[in-house]
Amino acid sequence: MAKYTGPSCRLCRREGGKLFLKGEKCFSDKCPVSIRAYAPGQHGQRRGRVSEYGGQLREKQKIRRIYGVLEGQFRRYFEQASQKRGVTGEILLRLLELRLDNVAYRLGFGASRAEARQVVRHGHVLVNGRRVDIPSYQVRAGDVVSVAESARQHVRIVSAVEAAGGRGFPEWVSMDAASLSATIKAMPAREDIAPDLNEQVVVELYSK
């Protein structure tokens, strides 16, 4: 499977904003996006006029990189969203938001989505008491997501949960930080997901 192995911060600078790929560094003054708020490369500071198609493509890449999915995966999510009743763009974001690796990140089981994905793959996350090691697993309302007993003393997980608690857990989960367990109260509403994402232009891109 293809995987980007370069500097994560270059992706943030390329998309013109924080994608929160580096954990706590993204919330500090050391974040390169705060220091150099322009695209990487020799001509990064000389941004030309972006076409309508270019803007749609950049927004798609931005969303794809935030959730850490490949192009083929992203297209399948879009096709799945387009077959459901409702606003396609919002359904697309909801499907991505309910991936187990993203839910684990929201709960603080990892400092970044990449770290949360690793925690899932290593079998440290339980869904309704059963071990699930598939990052793309779709979590549903009513599910209980928790850290396995064997991993509850891991320093990185404990510190990440504390940091996430300081920023505030999502409204659509009921988190018990003491037991490292959370109940999914409801499906996330659009206002619960990153407000700076423009999913409609992605719908327009794939509808051409």
Side-chain angles (χ1 to χ4, degrees):
M1 179 180 287
K3 180 182 177 182
Y4 176 76
T5 57
S8 300
C9 296
R10 287 179 66 90
L11 298 180
C12 297
R13 291 177 59 203
R14 181 65 188 88
E15 302 308 331
K18 295 186 179 186
L19 306 183
F20 300 98
L21 305 177
K22 292 287 286 184
E24 289 305 302
K25 182 179 179 181
C26 300
F27 298 95
S28 73
D29 295 334
K30 295 181 180 179
C31 177
V33 175
S34 302
I35 301 171
R36 292 172 289 177
Y38 51 85
Q42 183 179 359
H43 305 292
Q45 297 187 61
R46 293 189 291 172
R47 281 193 171 183
R49 184 173 177 271
V50 180
S51 66
E52 180 183 0
Y53 173 76
Q56 294 170 341
L57 185 61
R58 287 265 59 86
E59 193 65 24
K60 186 259 294 185
Q61 293 290 74
K62 179 180 178 181
I63 297 174
R64 192 172 66 78
R65 285 168 172 168
I66 285 175
Y67 289 100
V69 297
L70 299 174
E71 177 63 37
Q73 291 175 300
F74 190 83
R75 181 171 285 277
R76 285 193 292 274
Y77 278 119
F78 176 80
E79 290 172 354
Q80 187 178 346
S82 64
Q83 293 169 6
K84 294 179 178 290
R85 279 189 172 185
V87 181
T88 299
E90 292 185 15
I91 296 172
L92 171 64
L93 290 184
R94 192 174 298 121
L95 288 171
L96 293 167
E97 192 72 12
L98 289 172
R99 283 173 54 99
L100 181 58
D101 56 357
N102 183 75
V103 172
Y105 165 69
R106 295 294 190 196
L107 299 177
F109 297 169
S112 65
R113 285 183 178 84
E115 188 173 295
R117 185 174 302 119
Q118 189 176 44
V119 170
V120 171
R121 281 184 175 146
H122 286 183
H124 297 322
V125 175
L126 308 179
V127 179
N128 300 326
R130 299 180 63 181
R131 196 179 303 273
V132 178
D133 59 3
I134 303 171
S136 61
Y137 178 88
Q138 283 286 302
V139 177
R140 300 188 176 99
D143 283 350
V144 176
V145 182
S146 59
V147 174
E149 186 70 37
S150 59
R152 290 185 182 178
Q153 302 304 317
H154 284 200
V155 176
R156 291 185 68 88
I157 293 178
V158 173
S159 61
V161 170
E162 290 178 354
R167 294 190 294 272
F169 296 109
E171 291 290 330
W172 44 278
V173 304
S174 176
M175 179 67 179
D176 182 355
S179 64
L180 298 181
S181 176
T183 301
I184 310 303
K185 297 190 298 183
M187 297 290 97
R190 177 61 188 91
E191 54 267 26
D192 297 325
I193 306 173
D196 60 329
L197 298 181
N198 187 355
E199 66 277 9
Q200 183 55 38
V201 300
V202 178
V203 175
E204 294 169 1
L205 174 66
Y206 280 127
S207 299
K208 289 182 178 179

